[in-house]
Amino acid sequence: MQIVVGVAVVRDGRVLAAYRPGPDGGWEFPGGKVEPGETDEQAAVREIREELDLEIKVGASLGPGVDISPQYRLHVYLATALAGDPVLREHSELRWFAAAELDEADWLVPDRPFVRELPARL
């Protein structure tokens, strides 16, 4: 099973989400696949640097992994933004959400269990 990390980057009490376009699109936590020899945390740092040009410090997991498909399992981690402003590269939109705004967004199904954990942690 291939692990995919999502990263809930937090800054000033808001969490960063990225919009994936297309017919199956929606809001998600940015991230990507864990490469051989990497930890989840190392993959999270690398992916956020590549996708968003942000430097982060990875924190706690937001809960157990969620199967995306028979081949992929999503793990989502909290992270603190240390440096940089997010650069839009791979998604159609980026947005900082306050806790009260999280329910307004159309989240991708695998990300939804992690979204429910966020308000208590922002």
Side-chain angles (χ1 to χ4, degrees):
M1 171 97 33
Q2 171 74 57
I3 300 298
V4 176
V5 291
V7 185
V9 179
V10 176
R11 179 185 279 164
D12 300 325
R14 295 178 176 268
V15 65
L16 184 64
Y19 193 82
R20 180 185 298 241
D24 296 324
W27 290 99
E28 67 178 354
F29 297 110
K33 296 175 187 166
V34 177
E35 300 294 336
E38 279 185 321
T39 65
D40 287 7
E41 292 82 0
Q42 290 168 331
V45 168
R46 176 184 52 76
E47 287 286 346
I48 297 305
R49 185 180 295 137
E50 290 173 2
E51 282 187 23
L52 302 172
D53 203 24
L54 278 178
E55 294 300 322
I56 62 168
K57 179 179 180 188
V58 179
S61 169
L62 282 175
V66 170
D67 290 346
I68 299 172
S69 71
Q71 294 85 20
Y72 297 101
R73 177 171 293 144
L74 176 64
H75 293 182
V76 176
Y77 293 86
L78 283 171
T80 304
L82 299 176
D85 289 313
V87 176
L88 188 62
R89 290 193 174 125
E90 297 186 17
H91 296 86
S92 63
E93 187 177 349
L94 297 173
R95 179 176 165 192
W96 292 98
F97 285 92
E101 300 169 324
L102 291 169
D103 288 341
E104 299 170 9
D106 182 21
W107 291 91
L108 294 179
V109 171
D111 291 76
R112 290 177 188 169
F114 304 105
V115 171
R116 287 192 287 273
E117 293 296 317
L118 272 173
R121 303 200 189 198
L122 290 180

